[in-house]
Amino acid sequence: MSYYVYITQVDHCFIADVPALPGCRTFGRSEAEVLENIRDVVRGYLQSLRKKNRAAPKVKVVKLSEQVPSFPRGASGRSMVNVSSKNGIAVPPL
């Protein structure tokens, strides 16, 4: 299962948000720190759902155009967070 993670940089702070998982938002002083933090947040969210016997939200991706904008490093952008039921969460390199 994969979720989009939106990362925004405001001054010297990075903010990560997972729109498909309400309330999954965190911050960090660097891109690496915010990615590590969002892994923990998503992991905790999914564990909480499992304890309550609730299914994780399914994400529907709709293709809007042929070209996807590329974001320079340090700018607002998105990353995919891959969720594995065995190992937790892994994020591919940006």
Side-chain angles (χ1 to χ4, degrees):
M1 197 177 317
S2 296
Y3 296 102
Y4 278 106
V5 174
Y6 289 88
I7 298 172
T8 307
Q9 183 178 3
V10 179
D11 295 325
H12 299 290
C13 181
F14 290 84
I15 302 165
D17 182 48
V18 183
L21 305 176
C24 285
R25 177 178 287 159
T26 189
F27 65 93
R29 287 171 273 162
S30 68
E31 196 172 352
E33 182 180 7
V34 79
L35 285 172
E36 182 178 330
N37 293 346
I38 200 67
R39 284 186 195 106
D40 292 338
V41 170
V42 171
R43 186 178 296 119
Y45 186 95
L46 296 175
Q47 286 175 350
S48 174
L49 288 177
R50 279 192 293 272
K51 285 181 183 177
K52 296 175 184 177
N53 292 320
R54 296 180 64 197
K58 298 207 185 284
V59 178
K60 182 177 181 180
V61 177
V62 178
K63 188 174 184 180
L64 297 176
S65 69
E66 291 298 318
Q67 294 184 353
V68 175
S70 61
F71 297 96
R73 296 205 37 81
S76 296
R78 61 182 174 224
S79 300
M80 284 295 268
V81 175
N82 296 317
V83 180
S84 166
S85 58
K86 291 184 180 177
N87 334 18
I89 301 167
V91 177
L94 298 176

